[in-house]
Amino acid sequence: AVAAVVDEARRLQIPVVFDLDDLIFEPESIHHVDGISGYTPEQVAEYRRGVCGYREMLLEADAVTCTTSFLQRRVQQLGKPAYVIPNTINAAQLETAATLPASNRDGAKIRIGYFSGSATHNKDFLEAAGAVAKVMRERPEVEFLIVGPLVLPAEFKELESRVIRKRFMPPLDMLRELAAVDINIAPLELDNPFTAGKSELKIFEAALVGVPTVVSATDSYGNCVTHGRDGFVAATPAEWFAALDRLVSNRKLREEIGRAAAARFVPAFSINSCAAGIVDVYRSIVATADDGQCDPECLDIAWIVPQPSAGSGGHRNIYRAAKKLSEFGHRITLYHTETNDDTTKEFVCQNFYDLSNVEFHRYRGTTLRHDACFATHWSTAYCLQANRHKIRHPFYFVQDFEPMFYPMGSEYILAENTYRLGFTHVTSGPWPKKVLEREYSQDVHEFYFPIDMSVYRPGAREIRHRRVLFFARPEWNRRCYELGIAMLAQFKRRNPDVEVVLYGSSKIPSDSVPFEHVNMKMLPSLQALAELYRNADLGIVFSTTNPSLVPYEMMACGLAVADIGRDAAAVNYGGEDNIFLLNPSPEIMAREVQQIMRDDVERACRARNGTAYVKGFPDEEGMARRIEEIVLETIRKSRKQEKTAHGHDSPAFRQLVSETAA
């Protein structure tokens, strides 16, 4: 039901605000909640699920309102805009307080009151328990009123005759009872984030009826009360006793502190005083929503990613973009399909980049709300589509034409259909861009592969014998492993003096390769790859769809590169002068490779041209800046279209706020 309301609000362009007055959204902090100490393991688990639900709702909201600055800071740590709307004294309380006599205390007894409320404050009361008991032992005229369930420590057993218990009661009845006490106490456990966020409610309710309060030195209480002027703040048992003893001993002091508290806190927390500020908060939220709710300096960007595998160039592109965008100041969330949250993060940090500052989630059918979200594979495009109502700007990170990964059939059609979902397409390189524009009439943006020129660069050659490299990946059909082996078998028979090196996969079946070769499998580092490229004469990389980073990194190291000459492949390499494009027939291809190896001049020319071509490629930061630019431009364009479509009309919610202000 809540999800349906939120979805309808999104459709109507009404901002969604999550309001809270307790630290109920941090699963890692629930052990600080004393109220669950008596729960069964099943009840604790249920409580945790509730807290996780609150957190999810908070993260899905456009903004959060909370009652204290402490809670505001905790919300802001999650990257959400947060505003303080304090708890207030309502009109009924003001009216009731006005009917009560100026002094409802007869003076024969001095009554200390603790209005604990719910059954969650036993541990809080221990902050003041010793001092209250000591005052009662030393002063027989003192009695102790408890409103609400509370377990008293053993030291109160001898004082039971002066302990008055009353049940939890409605707020206005409680206010009348509060008016009859002389001193109010508001103890909270110190060094506890749950209690640090408690609002000033117990202070200003007592002030409304002129009763002074002694409070614990928590964040919100300590910042509210001026010690010795409009209340007392205590952090130790001795301070609690000193404050209570002074107030019990001095009726005039009690009255002065009570009047000062009323003069300060009633105007400050009255709904009449706070209404204008509350309206301003909601005006600010609406204004932010009308501006697109996207902070260009800190966008909330998500990526939905298939299960990663070591050595995957596609995943490396995704993770490097996520890392850099995070470093630019954007908030990044990674959703992984078919993976475990903890192990995936560890795997990615070990095998790709340190993304310890990025949020990882297992995709379980739903995402949170984000300014932008990238699908990164055709299967994740359907995940994005399912959550489109939560994503302001959906993007499709297209690194290849994925239908070609499959025979013509269901998977081909399903993959192809994703290009018709209406996302903003961002392609790696020009070839996918041309395909999407030609076949699907899509508006497509492109970025170029990033190359780390500090790693991939020309250098001195250490191996003098002639060497041909083959990027061999039998697990990927589009790399045409069998075609390459058939070609190299013929080439090797004619050129036994040329060393053939296979690399790129731990799944190369060495015993089935029918010629002498070296199998380097997966190289241990990028530096080792660069050394391999600098010590070879020709790199053969088959890219039947979009090229990977491999041929460009070879070019950056000064190595001549050969690919299959099909479907306008030259566009991937800046022209035919930068690349050797081979005939797809193994027999003809073998002869072409033989000719390339014999023509040192032409091979060196193509190598120089290739190196010059990739010098125009961006580094990792440049690639990420280009992606950031595409996202920002899409947001600006979308916002401009919305203004054109809707003119200057505000959402219905703005009208509601304006009427409230009036």
Side-chain angles (χ1 to χ4, degrees), residues 13-46:
Q13 299 183 16
I14 297 174
V16 176
V17 181
F18 185 57
D19 182 68
L20 55 90
D21 70 347
D22 260 325
L23 190 67
I24 56 171
F25 53 87
E26 289 186 359
E28 65 274 19
S29 297
I30 67 170
H31 63 283
H32 291 291
V33 181
D34 182 50
I36 68 171
S37 59
Y39 283 14
T40 66
E42 292 76 15
Q43 289 172 323
V44 172
E46 180 64 25

Side-chain angles (χ1 to χ4, degrees), residues 118-371:
S118 62
T120 59
H121 296 287
N122 293 325
K123 203 168 182 180
D124 290 330
F125 178 64
L126 295 180
E127 297 288 324
V132 173
K134 183 178 181 181
V135 167
M136 292 180 71
R137 284 194 299 270
E138 294 184 1
R139 295 184 175 273
E141 72 272 22
V142 174
E143 57 187 18
F144 184 36
L145 170 67
I146 303 169
V147 177
L150 182 70
V151 177
L152 287 175
E155 59 191 313
F156 280 85
K157 189 169 182 60
E158 62 183 282
L159 305 168
E160 284 182 351
S161 62
R162 284 185 283 143
V163 174
I164 305 163
R165 285 188 177 272
K166 296 194 177 183
R167 291 182 178 181
F168 184 80
M169 59 184 64
L172 296 183
D173 291 342
M174 187 209 73
L175 192 63
R176 296 184 184 96
E177 198 68 48
L178 183 56
V181 305
D182 299 275
I183 303 164
N184 178 50
I185 62 171
L188 288 172
E189 184 183 4
L190 300 180
D191 300 320
N192 180 330
F194 185 77
T195 58
K198 291 290 184 179
S199 79
E200 306 87 349
L201 190 69
K202 293 185 185 301
I203 300 170
F204 63 69
E205 286 179 339
L208 183 59
V209 290
V211 174
T213 302
V214 184
V215 303
S216 286
T218 60
D219 187 274
S220 56
Y221 284 5
N223 289 328
C224 178
V225 171
T226 302
H227 183 72
R229 182 178 301 174
D230 46 41
F232 288 89
V233 182
T236 65
E239 290 177 358
W240 271 100
F241 177 76
L244 291 174
D245 189 54
R246 284 187 64 188
L247 288 169
V248 167
S249 303
N250 192 330
R251 177 172 181 169
K252 182 179 179 181
L253 178 64
R254 294 196 300 271
E255 292 173 347
E256 289 176 353
I257 296 293
R259 284 194 297 269
R264 181 181 175 194
F265 300 131
V266 174
F269 291 96
S270 165
I271 186 61
N272 298 329
S273 302
C274 295
I278 294 170
V279 171
D280 285 343
V281 166
Y282 285 110
R283 283 188 186 279
S284 178
I285 292 171
V286 171
T288 302
D290 285 347
D291 288 339
Q293 297 181 306
C294 295
D295 179 358
E297 300 297 323
C298 183
L299 294 172
D300 187 334
I301 304 174
W303 301 72
I304 309 178
V305 188
Q307 184 174 8
S309 59
S312 168
H315 281 87
R316 184 168 293 279
N317 265 345
I318 295 165
Y319 296 137
R320 65 160 49 101
K323 176 178 173 61
K324 287 297 179 181
L325 289 169
S326 176
E327 291 174 356
F328 297 165
H330 303 299
R331 183 166 180 256
I332 305 299
T333 303
L334 293 173
Y335 296 94
H336 285 85
T337 59
E338 302 175 358
T339 60
N340 177 279
D341 294 1
D342 298 331
T343 58
T344 301
K345 187 165 190 174
E346 181 181 356
F347 179 85
V348 170
C349 291
Q350 287 179 353
N351 290 276
F352 295 96
Y353 297 95
D354 180 6
L355 295 176
S356 53
N357 293 328
V358 169
E359 284 195 40
F360 277 65
H361 296 286
R362 181 180 179 184
Y363 179 75
R364 292 181 170 89
T366 185
T367 69
L368 300 175
R369 300 189 182 275
H370 301 281
D371 295 331

Side-chain angles (χ1 to χ4, degrees), residues 588-607:
I588 299 174
M589 194 187 307
R591 291 196 294 270
E592 289 176 339
V593 172
Q594 178 175 282
Q595 178 58 34
I596 292 169
M597 291 299 293
R598 289 177 178 177
D599 192 340
D600 295 343
V601 174
E602 183 60 25
R603 196 173 64 253
C605 179
R606 300 287 177 103

Side-chain angles (χ1 to χ4, degrees), residues 458-468 499 531-538 558-559 597 603:
R461 181 167 179 168
E462 298 176 358
I463 296 176
R464 297 303 174 188
H465 59 265
R466 295 196 298 168
R467 176 188 269 185
V468 171
E499 182 182 50
E531 285 298 317
L532 178 66
Y533 299 157
R534 284 192 284 266
N535 284 280
D537 299 276
L538 181 66
L559 178 61
M597 291 299 293
R603 196 173 64 253

Side-chain angles (χ1 to χ4, degrees), residues 13 290 635-650:
Q13 299 183 16
D290 285 347
I635 292 173
R636 286 192 291 266
K637 182 178 178 181
S638 174
R639 186 59 187 150
K640 185 176 180 181
Q641 290 172 342
E642 288 176 6
K643 287 183 177 179
T644 301
H646 300 291
H648 298 288
D649 292 338
S650 299

